[in-house]
Structure formats: structure tokens, C-alpha cells
Amino acid sequence: MLGVAIIARALYIQIKQGPELKEIAREMHTRFETMEAERGNILNEEGTLLSTSIPEFDVHVDFSVIDTALFAEQIDSLCRCMAQLFVNKGKSAEDYKEDFVRAYDKGTKYYPLGRRLKYYEYEALRSFPIFIKGKGSGGFIAESREKRRLPYGELARRTLGIFRDSNTNGLEAKYNKDLAGINGRRVVQKAAGGLWVPVEGSEVDPVNGKDIVTTLDMDVQAVAHDALLANLQKYKCLYGTCIVMEVATGKIRTLVNLGIQKDSSYREDFNYAAIPTEPGSTFKLATLTALLSDRFINVDSGVDIQGGRKQFANRTMQDSHPNPSLGNMPIWKAYAISSNVGMAKLADRYYHDHPEKFVAHLKRLHLDKYTGIDLMGERQSRITTPGTRYWSKTSLPWMAIGYGVMITPLHTCMMYNALANNGKMMKPYLVSAVREYGRDIKTTQPEVLTTLGDAEVVRQLRKCTRAVVAEGTGKDIASPYYTMSGKTGTAQVADKGIKYSDHVYQGSYVGYMPAEDPKYTICVVIRTSAHSSSYYGGTIAAPVFRMVADKIFSRNMGAWSSPLDSMARTASSVIPARAATAGAYDILMGKLKRNFKVPGNELRSSMVCVVSDTLRGTRVEKTPVYRGVMPDVTGMTLKDAVYVLENYGIRVNISGRGKVTAQSVPAGTHLLKGQNVMLQLG
């Protein structure tokens, strides 16, 4: 009976529990291992790397597997290598030996050697004495992971996005499926010494992620970032955004979003360009578009602004600067001086009985729809509609000047870009291609969403926006070197817990340049803090527009006929300003018989530039060059560039002949001692 019971039990285990037990045994000796796919890069159309993955390593030591004789023989050599590799830690070879001997005596199995080590540090460690034996005999345990890096730091950080396990944002989130790739898999088998060895033929290789090609121009992005940051700090504002759109295509060339932090610093923390707010006076372009499209007005016709004050139902509207002496004037001039009363009167006169017609024009301009930009998190805009509980007797005149509507800065930029583009409103986009192994497999084509109006409507609207800079609220930023058109905007805001009584304002400036043949549209929107002393768009936003426009113009000098004609009309002796050595300017100004005092005693090593302000005054300023920080040497002769760079400890390699057209390390980048820099000559 005992024998029968044993046999029965054995059969039960074999038949009933056998498969489960076999699986447990198999898992103890074999397992599936994931082979991580490499995440794709984000780069721009010039091939500059904007976001990439680099490996980082956590390294530990299992002292329990190291042979005693091996440890005694090579511990001194190991500790000397450690002290040389990690010299910045300030530990001597004797310090390392004391720590290692103590851990070895205890038989420590997971002694921490370093966290988040760079690849070259990992490679050096694995070649050191003892560790070169690997995990089984040398106790060397390395765990790798990919770390996402932004080579340009804070520049476009919110647009490019942060990749992490949760709360991924920006382009990293929108194009995560393309960037991520597909992980592979393989079977590994447990071998002697506890090592897991791949089983041959079991691998399913990973498919690496694709690269994303963005439209961002990092040179202009840097200027826009610095200009916006300077004004935010100067006026202690809450946040700001700057958008640069290519007129003909809708490509977003620059997108800066800076918000104030608890320590009063500013960083790229939120996509303010995609958040709807009441736009203020920049919205008056939509009002004029409706009036002109319905053929109700001509901008040369007159409108009585009544000194800048008028009653609508139970509310009084007034201009920013009421003046009792101001009465009848051309509509284009009322737009140029940003008269609220003038625009509101026109809208109320022609749409009072049929406000739905006015609202229909706003919807035709896509102001009630998403812009469709390829970023996640864009919020829905809002247009107040007649017949709803939000509509009142004063809704129409206040909508005409940018209140009672909620649109994003991107909408505002698109509207003015449409005017610059002969009426065609382009869909904005940030990614021009998805690339696999260097070949574009998907491209984005420019898309027309709608039109402002016919050629006559565009002509009259352009006359109004040109007048803003020529003699209106934007005249302080007019440039002697190129033409521009645009509109200032100032709106008192009440949203997200802010009341009108808090006196928080939104200052805006949006426009395009050059005015005759526009290439780029620039939109700047800044939110002030409560009770700020400076809040007008012409004060806090327009200077940012001018700095960005200057950068764009200087980079395209000679490529546009309109700005050059404008320069020729301004003065025959106008000189486009370029960075150069003090010696070069000393010779130039001497030949021109100009009394310019060139700063700096070392004429070759001092870099200077000619600076022109909005009053057309000109002066020479020294451009600081800091040791350890890459200067801008583009445009310089090779001789001067090499002198400047090598004088600051930078090793120079060159390609081509002529003047410097590009440098491998962007200006402002912190350099390592003895770092190599490639200069491209052309």
C-alpha cells in the first residue's frame, strides 16, 4: 500500500503539477531580457542636434567574488587609477584603499562606486585592475540607462520637451511614438558564476526610434530668449512668450516661453503661446478685416474718435490717452494711434443690428478653433456669441477692441502672418520631417487655412499696420536699416484668479518685416505683475520685437532687396553693423574719417561691434570675451579668429578658406579646458 501511494503521488506530480514545476525550473535558469531601443534625436533643419540620449551608468562592486590573492596583488594599482580618474572628488589613493579594504573584509556585495557616470568614466573603470576581470571574478557591476539631454540648455526647453517616465511634454510627447522605437527581446540563460548569457538565435532586435526635424532656428531663439528675459526681469513681469513665424510657410522659427519662479528667476516652464487670453488692441486687425471685407469702410474715410471717450449703453469706453482736441481723422490713423473709441464706433455702427455677421468673420478667421500646431496642451479659444448668456448690449464694441474674446498668442501671430502673406493664413507647425536613418520618411507641407480677404482688403490693412510704425504707437522701434509693420496692444486682464482691480496687464506687439516683402512675423506677449508701473505693449513688448527683428535682418543682409532699398533711401553712408576685432574697426573708422573711440588697448584681441539705438545714434561697444566661454567669431578673418580663440585656450581646427561662416561650438557655450573647435570658412 505504501509503494502504491508513492507511485500514485509521483504520477500526480508528473502529470498534474509537472508543467507548472517545469516552468518554474526553466525560469530559474532562463529568462526573457528586454533590449532597449535607442530613442531618436530631435534636430533642426540645419542639422543642429537639439535633444539626444546619452548613456549614464551606476557602478557597484561585489567584493565577495574577488579572489584574495588578486585583491592583495592589484589593490594598490586600482586605487591609484581611481584617484586619477576622480581627481575632483579630492580622495587620495590611500583613501580609496582604506575604503576598499574595509568593504572587502566585510564581503560587501553592492559597494557603490559611482552614480550617473559618463560613458568615458564607465569605459575607464571597466579597464582598471581587478575590475577588468568583469562581474564574475572582478566584481564589476554596471547598470546603464539613457539620459535625455538638451545641448542648448534652457533654450526652447518647453517646446522641445522633457522625456521622463511621467509628464513628458513638448515635441517629446507629441512625437513619442516616432521617437521611442520598438524594444527588442532575447532569451538569456544562467551560467556558472551567476552570469546570464544570451541564447544564440533567440534575439529579436530592437527597432531604434526615428529622428524628428524641427523648424526652430536656434540663433534667433537665443536672441529672442535673451531679449524677452531682459524685459521680464526689468519690469518684474509674470511671464512672456515670443513667436517667430516664417511668412510663406507657417514654420515656427522661434518659440520662447518664460515664466517667473518662486525665487524670482525665469525659466521655460509652460507653453504660454497656446493659452487663450483677451488680446487687447492687436485684435483690432480682425475688426478692420470684417469691416473691409463687407465693404462698409475704406481706411481713408474718416471716423470721429470724440476725444477718446464714448458711452456705449451703460458703460464708458475711453482710449489709453484721451485727448479732447482729437476728433475726426482717417481710419488708418485711428488704428495707428490705437483708438479704442474709433474701432468700437465702427463695429457698433455697422454690426449693431446684426452682430452675428461680425462674429461670423471672426470664426472665418479660425479664431474660435485650435491652431493645429503640433504640440500637446493647446487650449480652446473662445468667441462670445449673440444669443448666449454671456452676450450683452456692450459685447460688440468691447469685442471690437479685443475684450470678450479669448485667443492664444499663436492665433494673433497667424492673423498678422496672413496679412504679411497677401491674405493667406498658414497653419503653424514645428516639425518639418520625420527621418529614419538619414532619410525623410514623412514631411510636413505648408497648409493654407483661410484668407483674410481679397487684394484690396490686404492693401488697406497693410496701410494701417505700416502707419503704426511710421507715426503711431510703434514708432519708437522703427529701424533705419529696414522697414516693419505691426500693432501694439495693451489689455487689462482678469483670469485664473486675477481680478480687474488687481491691475494686471498684457502688453503685446505683433508685426512683420520687411514691410514691403515680408519674410517673418514676430509676436511678443508679456503678462505684467499686479500694479506694475509699465504695462503698455509699446514699452514692454515692442523692444523685444525690435531686437529679434534686428537679428533676423543682420543674418539675411544682402539677401532682401526691400531692406537694402530702405537703407539706401535712409542715408547713403549707412553701414551694416557686424562684429569684428577692435583693430578692424580702428582701420575702418579711420578711413571713413569718423571720430569713433575704439575701446580696448589690445586692438587684435578685443572684439567690438557698432550699436545703433532707436534714435539712430551710433556707438562702438566692446564685446566681452570670457575665458571658458565660446565667443562669436563668425564673419572674422581666420587670422583674427585664431588669435582670439587660442588666446583664450581654445584649440582651433579649420575647414575651407576665407572668412569664418560657422563654428562647431555655439557662442556662449561653456568650454572645457583645451577643447577643440572647428571653424568653417567660406
Side-chain angles (χ1 to χ4, degrees):
M1 290 178 65
L2 181 60
V4 170
I6 293 172
I7 293 171
R9 183 62 178 171
L11 289 173
Y12 174 78
I13 293 173
Q14 182 73 18
I15 297 171
K16 187 70 175 175
Q17 297 179 321
E20 182 180 350
L21 294 173
K22 286 178 182 178
E23 180 64 21
I24 293 173
R26 189 188 65 79
E27 290 180 357
M28 291 175 64
H29 293 88
T30 61
R31 68 185 183 194
F32 282 107
E33 186 176 80
T34 299
M35 301 167 67
E36 297 284 344
E38 291 184 15
R39 190 170 180 83
N41 298 319
I42 300 177
L43 57 154
N44 66 10
E45 293 176 343
E46 290 74 40
T48 303
L49 200 60
L50 306 183
S51 182
T52 188
S53 297
I54 61 172
E56 288 186 342
F57 299 87
D58 290 345
V59 179
H60 297 80
V61 183
D62 182 0
F63 283 107
S64 67
V65 302
I66 302 174
D67 181 74
T68 304
L70 175 66
F71 184 80
E73 179 185 348
Q74 298 189 13
I75 183 62
D76 291 329
S77 300
L78 170 62
C79 293
R80 283 195 296 271
C81 292
M82 291 290 297
Q84 291 173 3
L85 179 62
F86 298 111
V87 65
N88 60 322
K89 291 187 177 181
K91 291 181 67 173
S92 65
E94 290 74 19
D95 294 332
Y96 278 108
K97 183 175 181 179
E98 183 180 343
D99 292 343
F100 288 175
V101 169
R102 186 184 303 113
Y104 185 79
D105 291 341
K106 291 181 179 179
T108 305
K109 293 180 176 292
Y110 210 63
Y111 180 87
L113 206 59
R115 293 187 67 251
R116 296 184 176 178
L117 299 181
K118 296 179 174 61
Y119 183 74
Y120 75 88
E121 293 174 322
Y122 159 75
E123 283 290 303
L125 279 172
R126 65 186 296 199
S127 67
F128 284 176
I130 301 179
F131 297 159
I132 198 172
K133 299 288 186 179
K135 181 179 179 181
S137 301
F140 187 78
I141 305 170
E143 299 169 355
S144 67
R145 59 170 175 266
E146 293 289 319
K147 181 71 175 179
R148 205 68 172 164
R149 292 293 188 193
L150 301 173
Y152 282 84
E154 193 69 13
L155 289 186
R157 181 176 179 270
R158 186 58 181 77
T159 303
L160 296 173
I162 302 298
F163 174 71
R164 47 200 168 197
D165 293 336
S166 61
N167 198 27
T168 299
N169 54 39
L171 294 177
E172 293 278 8
K174 180 68 176 180
Y175 290 89
N176 182 60
K177 187 174 180 180
D178 292 306
L179 289 164
I182 303 172
N183 290 336
R185 210 167 64 143
R186 66 182 178 185
V187 177
V188 291
Q189 191 173 39
K190 198 169 187 179
L195 295 177
W196 291 89
V197 180
V199 175
E200 187 175 351
S202 66
E203 296 93 346
V204 177
D205 291 333
V207 179
N208 292 336
K210 302 173 182 65
D211 293 337
I212 301 301
V213 182
T214 178
T215 59
L216 292 177
D217 183 322
M218 297 310 286
D219 286 344
V220 180
Q221 180 84 22
V223 171
H225 180 101
D226 292 343
L228 182 62
L229 177 61
N231 266 27
L232 292 175
Q233 291 173 333
K234 180 178 180 179
Y235 298 110
K236 298 180 174 60
C237 299
L238 297 179
Y239 66 78
T241 183
C242 178
I243 309 163
V244 178
M245 180 183 287
E246 191 173 270
V247 169
T249 63
K251 291 180 179 180
I252 301 298
R253 291 302 193 182
T254 290
L255 183 54
V256 184
N257 292 287
L258 293 174
I260 195 168
Q261 308 301 303
K262 291 182 179 180
D263 61 357
S264 297
S265 64
Y266 291 88
R267 63 179 305 194
E268 289 252 346
D269 62 347
F270 205 70
N271 188 9
Y272 299 107
I275 303 302
T277 59
E278 290 179 310
S281 291
T282 55
F283 193 77
K284 292 171 183 174
L285 184 71
T287 301
L288 276 186
T289 300
L291 291 163
L292 288 167
S293 297
D294 286 333
R295 299 298 192 265
F296 288 140
I297 64 166
N298 183 294
V299 296
D300 292 317
S301 303
V303 60
D304 185 0
I305 69 170
Q306 301 177 209
R309 185 176 283 107
K310 176 175 171 53
Q311 186 85 11
F312 291 96
N314 61 341
R315 296 177 66 185
T316 300
M317 178 182 290
Q318 68 177 29
D319 293 349
S320 297
H321 301 286
N323 185 344
S325 66
L326 295 179
N328 195 66
M329 64 178 64
I331 292 173
W332 64 260
K333 187 169 184 179
Y335 185 89
I337 67 171
S338 200
S339 171
N340 293 332
V341 171
M343 293 301 110
K345 280 186 66 175
L346 292 170
D348 191 58
R349 180 190 306 171
Y350 293 106
Y351 294 110
H352 181 82
D353 295 331
H354 299 285
E356 69 279 359
K357 290 185 177 180
F358 177 74
V359 173
H361 278 291
L362 304 184
K363 293 182 176 181
R364 179 179 63 82
L365 297 178
H366 277 241
L367 298 181
D368 63 328
K369 302 175 179 66
Y370 290 106
T371 66
I373 191 170
D374 40 355
L375 277 177
M376 299 174 71
E378 181 183 1
R379 297 185 184 176
Q380 177 71 57
S381 56
R382 191 186 76 212
I383 303 293
T384 306
T385 305
T388 64
R389 63 189 183 96
Y390 299 106
W391 190 265
S392 69
K393 294 181 180 180
T394 59
S395 292
L396 178 60
W398 259 262
M399 284 178 68
I401 62 170
Y403 288 91
V405 294
M406 301 281 283
I407 63 173
T408 71
L410 274 167
H411 282 97
T412 301
C413 190
M414 288 167 59
M415 187 164 54
Y416 281 80
N417 193 77
L419 178 58
N421 196 28
N422 296 315
K424 296 178 182 178
M425 181 177 285
M426 308 303 296
K427 179 181 177 180
Y429 64 96
L430 274 159
V431 170
S432 58
V434 177
R435 186 171 293 171
E436 187 173 35
Y437 301 115
R439 182 175 59 88
D440 292 346
I441 60 172
K442 183 166 55 176
T443 58
T444 304
Q445 299 301 319
E447 179 183 345
V448 178
L449 297 176
T450 186
T451 59
L452 286 184
D454 57 28
E456 180 60 20
V457 170
V458 170
R459 184 191 68 79
Q460 294 194 55
L461 289 174
R462 281 199 177 185
K463 181 175 182 177
C464 294
T465 54
R466 183 73 189 104
V468 171
V469 182
E471 56 186 279
T473 55
K475 63 183 178 182
D476 288 340
I477 65 164
S479 170
Y481 306 120
Y482 58 90
T483 56
M484 63 180 80
S485 297
K487 183 71 183 76
T488 58
T490 306
Q492 191 173 357
V493 297
D495 56 23
K496 296 185 282 291
I498 298 173
K499 304 183 293 293
Y500 285 122
S501 59
D502 293 329
H503 293 280
V504 175
Y505 292 86
Q506 179 172 285
S508 310
Y509 191 93
V510 57
Y512 49 87
M513 50 79 67
E516 296 87 350
D517 185 17
K519 297 294 188 296
Y520 295 96
T521 301
I522 306 168
C523 178
V524 182
V525 178
I526 295 177
R527 174 71 65 95
T528 72
S529 55
H531 304 285
S532 175
S533 58
S534 298
Y535 51 84
Y536 287 111
T539 302
I540 63 175
V544 179
F545 176 99
R546 170 64 190 273
M547 285 183 252
V548 176
D550 281 351
K551 175 64 177 179
I552 293 173
F553 170 71
S554 66
R555 280 216 331 195
N556 291 273
M557 209 163 344
W560 300 341
S561 59
S562 296
L564 292 179
D565 291 344
S566 174
M567 288 172 59
R569 287 196 299 271
T570 303
S572 59
S573 60
V574 169
I575 307 166
R578 289 185 183 274
T581 61
Y585 269 107
D586 189 48
I587 295 171
L588 174 63
M589 297 309 170
K591 293 290 185 183
L592 295 173
K593 295 182 174 55
R594 297 286 187 93
N595 295 321
F596 277 70
K597 183 179 180 182
V598 178
N601 297 322
E602 301 178 26
L603 293 181
R604 281 190 67 197
S605 61
S606 294
M607 297 181 67
V608 299
C609 61
V610 173
V611 179
S612 175
D613 56 33
T614 55
L615 299 178
R616 303 189 181 184
T618 310
R619 64 188 183 278
V620 175
E621 287 187 354
K622 185 173 181 179
T623 303
V625 181
Y626 302 101
R627 187 173 297 280
V629 177
M630 182 67 189
D632 185 358
V633 296
T634 54
M636 297 176 65
T637 64
L638 175 61
K639 184 178 180 181
D640 289 336
V642 170
Y643 184 89
V644 170
L645 295 177
E646 291 191 346
N647 193 46
Y648 287 89
I650 303 171
R651 297 177 182 173
V652 179
N653 298 312
I654 61 171
S655 175
R657 292 186 298 173
K659 292 186 177 182
V660 179
T661 58
Q663 54 195 63
S664 62
V665 179
T669 303
H670 288 279
L671 298 166
L672 299 175
K673 185 177 180 180
Q675 182 171 347
N676 289 308
V677 172
M678 172 66 74
L679 300 182
Q680 178 67 49
L681 311 180

